[in-house]
Amino acid sequence: MSSHAHEHQPLGGRVLTLPFLICAALVAVAGVILFQRYTQGLGAASNLNDGYPWGIWVAIDVVIGSAFGCAGYVIALLCYILNRGEYHPLVRPAVLASLFGYGLAGLAVLVDLGRYWNFYHMMLPWYAQPNSVMLEVGLCVATYTLVLVVEFAPAFLERFGIEGLRAKLNKVLWVFIALGVLLPTMHQSSLGTMMVIVGHKLSPLWQSQMLPVFFLLTAILMGFAIVVWESVMASLNFRRPMETPVLSKLAGLMLVVASLFVVLRFVDLIVRGQIGQIFGGPQSGWFVVEMVLMISGLALLIPKANRNRSRALFLSASLLLAAGILYRLNVYLIGFTPAVGPWHYFPSVKEIMVTVGVFALEIALYLLFVKKLPVMHAVHPEHG
């Protein structure tokens, strides 16, 4: 009983460290820019235009940020749905990463919306368009963020000794865990569907009826990769033992998902008759970089010995994350060309600083939470 009570523990230590203060400064800069954006409009802080109605605030903060937030999704799927208990030490850090990824993605949407004050309209049936894939994504993301708050609530209740409520919550937590697997499956695939409907505006290297499948696969892959990345970084920075045994099993799953993605991408291009676009299409260079990153990442995991080496795991996870990031950026921005007009888009310095601020806020909150709340699995000294 006592061992269960101390299954997780706060790391402790100073909060106001140099990394935290750097992140806080970046958040402050973003805050100043956001004040200008909300008082003077989108044009004062961004290079958005009628040809490019969304830029990096959607493509990076939401589309890529929510994929970073799939750590909790994949670990919950493994641990609770497939009943693989060996992944349990990874659950709370993964749910925390998901909570920040999705919570801040939701905030980023409010930055990008022109009439942000009407955001609640999607909740009202008389405004809703039930055939809209964007409505489904919006409702799913909002609901999943609330689900993540409930999934992470036991850490707060444990920290402040509210055991009665924690025990009651644990009895119904399975409902939220099930929703936590269903909702990302729906909206991550729908992020792909959103770009199917732009038709010829998206380069044939990426435009495909398979976009929902590719977006779901990259969400799963990036979820696994962020768990590995976060675990290795936490072990190094907080001087904790490496979790290599459990991460090596995740690496095997990453290898399968990445291989499936690469095979399906090339089969899709062949079936659609667009394989020639690789050799000289206008955006072929971006496709090549995307594939080199993905294949390099999965190739590192093919030797079984590499899956038991933390350095190889970290490098592979970094490459696969970069590949997933570039794939989603290619679909939402780089491969997109407006139908009419000489429209161009490159993010302004202010847009970039807001995006940097969003991720800096995520890091700062992570540092605060792991030091003050029982997030990390307790490390007990071994008895000989």
Side-chain angles (χ1 to χ4, degrees), residues 72-254:
Y73 163 54
V74 295
I75 296 301
L77 177 65
L78 286 176
C79 197
Y80 296 118
I81 307 300
L82 301 179
N83 203 28
R84 304 304 295 270
E86 64 266 32
Y87 297 107
H88 193 260
L90 303 174
V91 170
R92 272 198 192 170
V95 170
L96 181 63
S98 291
L99 179 58
F100 291 151
Y102 272 91
L104 294 174
L107 290 176
V109 169
L110 294 180
V111 176
D112 184 80
L113 286 177
R115 297 181 181 180
Y116 56 87
W117 56 87
N118 288 334
F119 79 93
Y120 66 91
H121 282 188
M122 73 175 182
M123 315 273 184
L124 306 177
W126 51 92
Y127 281 119
Q129 164 53 276
N131 296 319
S132 167
V133 67
M134 199 175 283
L135 174 68
E136 188 252 333
V137 170
L139 290 176
C140 277
V141 169
T143 307
Y144 184 49
T145 305
L146 295 176
V147 166
L148 287 166
V149 170
V150 175
E151 284 187 331
F152 192 71
F156 277 101
L157 299 176
E158 185 180 317
R159 170 66 178 83
F160 297 106
I162 312 173
E163 291 300 325
L165 184 56
R166 186 166 83 104
K168 289 176 183 176
L169 179 59
N170 282 339
K171 290 178 182 176
V172 296
L173 205 55
W174 63 272
V175 176
F176 294 95
I177 289 167
L179 281 172
V181 172
L182 172 67
L183 292 169
T185 304
M186 290 171 61
H187 65 251
Q188 286 296 336
S189 58
S190 294
L191 285 172
T193 307
M194 276 174 58
M195 295 307 288
V196 171
I197 60 179
V198 306
H200 66 277
K201 295 178 187 177
L202 182 58
S203 163
L205 281 169
W206 294 282
Q207 180 57 279
S208 167
Q209 295 293 314
M210 289 287 287
L211 274 172
V213 175
F214 293 143
F215 266 72
L216 184 58
L217 285 175
T218 52
I220 293 169
L221 181 62
M222 292 172 75
F224 284 140
I226 205 74
V227 169
V228 173
W229 204 88
E230 181 269 339
S231 175
V232 174
M233 288 294 285
S235 294
L236 290 172
N237 289 305
F238 300 128
R239 295 177 175 83
R240 291 167 55 84
M242 288 287 180
E243 297 173 301
T244 309
V246 69
L247 296 183
S248 67
K249 294 179 180 178
L250 275 188
L253 296 171
M254 286 162 56

Side-chain angles (χ1 to χ4, degrees), residues 32-68:
V32 171
I33 297 167
L34 288 177
F35 178 79
Q36 187 181 19
R37 176 261 175 273
Y38 283 117
T39 54
Q40 299 176 35
L42 281 168
S46 77
N47 284 341
L48 297 173
N49 53 57
D50 289 343
Y52 287 89
W54 58 47
I56 61 170
W57 288 341
V58 166
I60 295 180
D61 301 17
V62 179
V63 178
I64 292 168
S66 68
F68 284 171

